Amino acid sequence: MRSKCLSKLEVGDFSLQGYSVAGEASVIIAPELDCAFDMGMCPREALTVNHVLLSHGHTDHFAGLPYYFAQRDFQGIEGGKVLLPAKLAEPVGELMRVWGRIDGQQPPHEIIPMKAGDDYEIRRGLFARAFATRHRSDSLGYAVIEVRHKLKSEYVGLTGPEIVALKKEGVEITDRVEIPLVAFLGDTAPADYSALPCVAQAKVLLIECTFFEDEHRDRARQGKHLHVHDLPGILEGMKNERIVLIHVTRRTNLGFARKQLKALLDKSVLARV
């Protein structure tokens, strides 16, 4: 029996599957991009991706990680990597060692420390870029970016042999083009993320909106989370095709949340949420 039902979203050549409730569990899986954003729990759909992009160490974003590694090992799935804030690398390694002592064996796993600005190649032509967020001192967001190489305009129209000759001479004939696919903010206080092209231009923006009630504004500030009244400012300048709000608290009635969004957001923004 399934205890959690994952929401699904199709976005062109890739899809997202996820479950995200504040304080309970957050996990968002991108099967075609071979990654999951956070691992607050580990549904079976998450086992097939080889990379977990961990934003921070709070339990509702992290608790499923040991199970992810152990269950992959149990099912004979090789590999399994977690990209995480560099400060978490040592304690997560210790946690896995303790898990091994409890379970009787330590499952295979790879821990990859990340800092803001670091890139990690998921596969050829696809990489994850970390950026700083405003939740904990070591929290990170991630953008998954496709890389293409486009022939420079001055070489368009050349014949095949002419292009081959230029390559032999060591001439760089292509421009690197980055296409941000998904940007994930994790948990965060307000910040100008539109200044980051990998966030502002991503096809899909995964952004928390934990609180909606007026009386919870102070709670949002204290916990370094977003309140619905933060959205008009933080979404200004964002060019995303889809904006997915995650991490809503169970205190919030979704009908009330939709009314708040309709009242606060410009129609052109609301149409993408």
Side-chain angles (χ1 to χ4, degrees):
M1 295 179 65
R2 305 298 303 277
S3 60
K4 299 288 191 299
C5 182
L6 303 184
S7 297
K8 297 183 180 181
L9 178 66
E10 300 288 337
V11 188
D13 295 333
F14 65 92
S15 61
L16 298 170
Q17 305 173 43
Y19 181 92
S20 183
V21 177
E24 183 178 317
S26 284
V27 55
I28 299 173
I29 307 154
E32 295 83 0
L33 306 182
D34 196 22
C35 67
F37 302 95
D38 283 345
M39 194 64 69
M41 64 175 186
C42 182
R44 67 186 182 206
E45 291 87 349
L47 297 175
T48 59
V49 301
N50 293 304
H51 304 83
V52 177
L53 312 184
L54 186 69
S55 62
H56 65 289
H58 285 160
T59 309
D60 56 326
H61 297 260
F62 169 80
L65 186 65
Y67 181 84
Y68 163 82
F69 287 125
Q71 191 63 202
R72 280 173 62 94
D73 184 40
F74 176 73
Q75 296 193 21
I77 305 173
E78 294 183 358
K81 304 175 177 68
V82 57
L83 282 61
L84 43 59
K87 290 182 179 180
L88 294 182
E90 192 281 327
V92 170
E94 178 62 21
L95 175 66
M96 294 305 299
R97 289 189 288 273
V98 171
W99 179 278
R101 293 203 301 270
I102 295 170
D103 189 58
Q105 64 176 2
Q106 187 177 162
H109 63 281
E110 185 174 349
I111 296 171
I112 300 168
M114 299 287 287
K115 301 186 300 294
D118 285 352
D119 288 345
Y120 180 84
E121 187 175 54
I122 294 174
R123 62 172 182 254
R124 183 179 175 86
L126 188 72
F127 67 95
R129 175 171 296 161
F131 56 89
T133 58
R134 295 186 59 205
H135 188 55
R136 292 181 13 161
S137 61
D138 57 356
S139 61
L140 293 174
Y142 297 92
V144 176
I145 302 170
E146 180 183 358
V147 176
R148 298 179 184 176
H149 291 87
K150 183 179 180 181
L151 190 66
K152 291 183 177 180
S153 58
E154 58 265 37
Y155 302 125
V156 173
L158 293 182
T159 65
E162 289 172 329
I163 290 176
V164 170
L166 288 171
K167 286 183 177 180
K168 288 181 178 179
E169 294 172 8
V171 177
E172 183 59 60
I173 63 171
T174 60
D175 288 319
R176 174 188 169 97
V177 179
E178 294 187 358
I179 304 171
L181 301 178
V182 183
F184 170 68
L185 300 187
D187 290 356
T188 184
D192 183 16
Y193 292 110
S194 66
L196 298 173
C198 64
V199 176
Q201 298 171 17
K203 288 187 177 181
V204 180
L205 174 65
L206 300 171
I207 180 172
E208 73 136 294
C209 190
T210 304
F211 297 106
F212 284 79
E213 289 76 5
D214 283 343
E215 59 269 28
H216 290 161
R217 291 199 195 195
D218 287 342
R219 188 188 292 266
R221 292 294 164 266
Q222 292 168 5
K224 294 186 178 180
H225 287 290
L226 293 180
H227 189 279
V228 67
H229 282 85
D230 299 318
L231 288 185
I234 203 170
L235 294 179
E236 186 175 353
M238 295 292 190
K239 308 299 183 184
N240 320 100
E241 294 177 14
R242 304 282 189 92
I243 299 167
V244 181
L245 304 185
I246 61 175
H247 208 258
V248 179
T249 173
R250 283 197 182 274
R251 299 180 181 90
T252 298
N253 176 277
L254 293 184
F256 171 75
R258 293 187 179 95
K259 289 180 181 178
Q260 290 285 82
L261 292 170
K262 187 174 182 180
L264 291 169
L265 297 181
D266 182 85
K267 287 184 179 180
S268 63
V269 176
L270 185 63
R272 295 180 283 143
V273 173

